[in-house]
Amino acid sequence: MLILTCPCCGLQAAEIELAPGGEAHLRREGPGAPDAALENYLFNRDNPRGVVLERWRHAYGCGKWFLAARDSVTMEVYGTYRAQTSAPPPQIIDRIRQRHPDWGQGAS
């Protein structure tokens, strides 16, 4: 079972206490965006094998959104961080690169 630590309240929560929110760090398209860009934002998501950056909500806890870095194959959690962060913190990137030296954000 996936267990994540909520960076907002500090509690460890099993996945049954959390609500998934999909891929993290998406570029949202606004009203003036071309149709193709809006379609891409709405319907296309990466589904990498390996490192994933995801959004989660601590549904049965503090109720706040946060982000998590984990491995989709091994379920290893590299860390969690606040949703207002625009990129994973350096310590999480270091943990990821210890296991996946060639990893770059957005790469599979």
Side-chain angles (χ1 to χ4, degrees):
M1 176 170 287
L2 182 63
I3 297 177
L4 300 174
T5 301
C6 177
C8 303
C9 65
L11 295 177
Q12 285 191 338
E15 63 187 301
I16 59 173
E17 301 172 45
L18 303 167
E23 190 177 340
H25 305 294
L26 292 176
R27 182 179 179 277
R28 286 156 176 78
E29 298 297 337
D35 289 345
L38 181 60
E39 178 182 340
N40 186 51
Y41 167 71
L42 291 174
F43 300 111
N44 297 324
R45 294 289 182 266
D46 289 336
N47 188 17
R49 180 178 171 89
V51 178
V52 293
L53 304 175
E54 303 171 312
R55 298 175 66 232
W56 290 89
R57 188 171 75 85
H58 194 180
Y60 292 97
C62 66
K64 294 188 177 177
W65 285 95
F66 64 93
L67 305 176
R70 69 176 182 90
D71 191 304
S72 65
V73 176
T74 65
M75 300 295 278
E76 178 181 3
V77 177
Y78 301 111
T80 58
Y81 52 106
R82 292 185 174 271
Q84 297 79 7
T85 309
S86 60
Q91 66 269 24
I92 292 178
I93 292 173
D94 291 343
R95 282 188 217 127
I96 294 170
R97 288 203 174 127
Q98 285 175 359
R99 299 288 235 175
H100 305 275
D102 57 345
W103 180 80
Q105 189 172 348
S108 305

